[in-house]
Amino acid sequence: MLTDLEKKIIALLQKDIPVVKRPFLVMAEQIGITEDKFLKVLKNLNDQGIIRRFGATLKHQKSGFKANAMVAWKVPEDRVEKTGNIMATFQEITHCYRRDPAPGWKYNLYTMVHASDEDECYAIVKKISKAVGEDEYELLFSRKELKKTSMRYFED
């Protein structure tokens, strides 16, 4: 069972972390505790596995990437891990994961590619295809972003 303080800290971490030299000091002050106490609770939450990682969300449109595509790949199961590990080394790829194929859909490995335009996405995917020796794929371009928020477990 989480304490009220742990819930407050988790609620703060669900928001944008301040881009300052000591973001946890700023956050600690928002809930009336010291930075040391904040970090101690945070470390404890991490040690318990309640918080497993921190991740940044890039708003790719604002950073200059005008095209992005999910690439669905058909990769033999015995090559998925090796192929995925190679794909993940490409700086243009932000996500790489395996899923079971759905009925009527043959693809099992997915990557997300970001570029300045759709032609560049195709060129990147062609380069990746050549590097991994896989040529059965579909590019699924994003046309409109409807929602980009993280799960909220606690509110302030």
Side-chain angles (χ1 to χ4, degrees):
M1 190 83 179
L2 294 174
T3 66
D4 287 341
L5 179 58
E6 289 169 333
K7 289 177 184 178
K8 284 180 184 178
I9 289 173
I10 291 169
L12 274 176
L13 293 170
Q14 292 173 150
K15 298 178 180 179
D16 291 340
I17 294 176
V19 183
V20 296
K21 189 173 184 175
R22 292 174 63 189
F24 298 122
L25 173 61
V26 172
M27 297 171 87
E29 289 172 345
Q30 289 175 350
I31 56 174
I33 63 172
T34 66
E35 181 183 31
D36 286 341
K37 177 69 173 176
F38 189 96
L39 291 170
K40 183 177 177 183
V41 173
L42 190 55
K43 182 179 181 330
N44 186 46
L45 290 168
N46 183 255
D47 290 345
Q48 293 178 62
I50 294 169
I51 294 177
R52 294 188 310 252
R53 67 177 188 86
F54 286 91
T57 300
L58 175 68
K59 296 187 180 191
H60 59 273
Q61 298 92 338
K62 290 184 177 182
S63 62
F65 296 101
K66 301 298 180 201
N68 62 78
M70 176 172 287
V71 187
W73 303 82
K74 182 179 180 209
V75 178
E77 282 302 321
D78 63 341
R79 291 181 36 84
V80 165
E81 188 161 345
K82 181 178 180 182
T83 301
N85 285 332
I86 294 168
M87 290 175 168
T89 66
F90 283 82
Q91 70 179 31
E92 300 93 345
I93 295 208
T94 57
H95 299 72
C96 182
Y97 52 92
R98 186 213 167 273
R99 286 193 175 165
D100 290 335
W105 184 253
K106 59 187 173 183
Y107 304 104
N108 60 344
L109 189 61
Y110 296 84
T111 56
M112 196 72 187
V113 176
H114 302 277
S116 59
D117 58 39
E118 289 188 9
D119 288 341
E120 187 180 358
C121 281
Y122 281 110
I124 291 165
V125 171
K126 188 174 182 180
K127 178 175 68 171
I128 294 167
S129 172
K130 186 175 180 179
V132 298
E134 300 295 341
D135 61 3
E136 222 174 321
Y137 57 84
E138 296 282 337
L139 277 79
L140 308 167
F141 286 97
S142 299
R143 298 294 178 216
K144 183 177 182 182
E145 186 172 76
L146 302 174
K147 179 182 177 185
K148 189 175 213 167
T149 58
S150 298
M151 177 68 183
R152 297 249 180 220
Y153 296 96
F154 301 103
E155 296 297 325
D156 306 10

